[in-house]
Amino acid sequence: MTEEVRRIFKTSCKGNIAMNLETAFSNFLELASKDINGNLDKNDLTEGTFYVSGQKNENAIIRLNELEKNQLVEILWFTKTHKFIRRLVFKELGKNKTRIKFIDICKGMSTVFGFMDNYKKRCTNEMLKNHFKYKC
């Protein structure tokens, strides 16, 4: 049990945007499609489809696991030693206010031991949270 917990790295954040739900979701899909591959646009994204990222990420295979219009986006990809699941949930709070919940799960093939590995893990967690807050 201890080893399984040390292999999984989860980050969760929430943020509010002063924008209506449809616009926020549409803008996110446009940015996400360009992040996956520069040749895609938001209309090319369909649930359950595999995509190949650009060469910068060593042609990683990315799967759009779930896509529910104006509600949910989940992306899954693998590297040589890790599995990543990134999930964003959108919720309308009013006419011009949207809440976004960001969940990032990273599962490694080996257990994290040692001070330096745990330090890197914490730094990565803080970087993700700060980046999310900056974008919101």
Side-chain angles (χ1 to χ4, degrees):
M1 181 65 176
T2 304
E3 289 185 7
E4 184 68 20
V5 170
R6 288 179 174 253
R7 289 189 320 131
I8 298 173
F9 175 54
K10 182 176 179 181
T11 304
S12 180
C13 305
K14 289 181 185 176
N16 296 332
I17 296 179
M19 191 182 295
N20 67 18
L21 178 65
E22 291 81 17
T23 305
F25 190 80
S26 177
N27 289 347
F28 172 77
L29 279 185
E30 187 64 39
L31 291 171
S33 65
K34 295 299 178 197
D35 284 345
I36 291 172
N37 191 313
N39 298 325
L40 295 176
D41 70 348
K42 65 182 177 184
N43 298 324
D44 295 333
L45 299 177
T46 54
E47 184 176 340
T49 306
F50 290 90
Y51 301 96
V52 177
S53 71
Q55 292 181 355
K56 183 172 129 181
N57 295 331
E58 299 176 4
N59 293 328
I61 304 296
I62 297 173
R63 182 173 196 260
L64 185 58
N65 230 18
E66 290 184 54
L67 177 65
E68 294 179 27
K69 187 173 171 123
N70 297 332
Q71 291 181 8
L72 171 70
V73 176
E74 184 178 277
I75 298 171
L76 169 73
W77 76 94
F78 296 91
T79 63
K80 293 177 183 175
T81 59
H82 288 78
K83 171 185 174 183
F84 296 93
I85 301 170
R86 187 159 287 173
R87 183 180 184 96
L88 284 104
V89 180
F90 293 79
K91 184 178 180 184
E92 188 171 29
L93 297 177
K95 278 188 175 181
N96 283 329
K97 199 166 190 183
T98 302
R99 171 172 282 159
I100 301 174
K101 184 176 182 183
F102 169 77
I103 302 166
D104 186 74
I105 301 170
C106 171
K107 188 171 185 178
M109 296 295 288
S110 60
T111 307
V112 175
F113 285 116
F115 175 76
M116 195 59 186
D117 287 337
N118 283 318
Y119 175 76
K120 288 178 186 175
K121 194 166 115 175
R122 279 194 312 275
C123 288
T124 303
N125 191 9
E126 287 301 314
M127 182 209 48
L128 276 173
K129 286 183 179 182
N130 289 337
H131 188 69
F132 179 79
K133 287 178 186 176
Y134 174 72
K135 293 293 183 178
C136 284

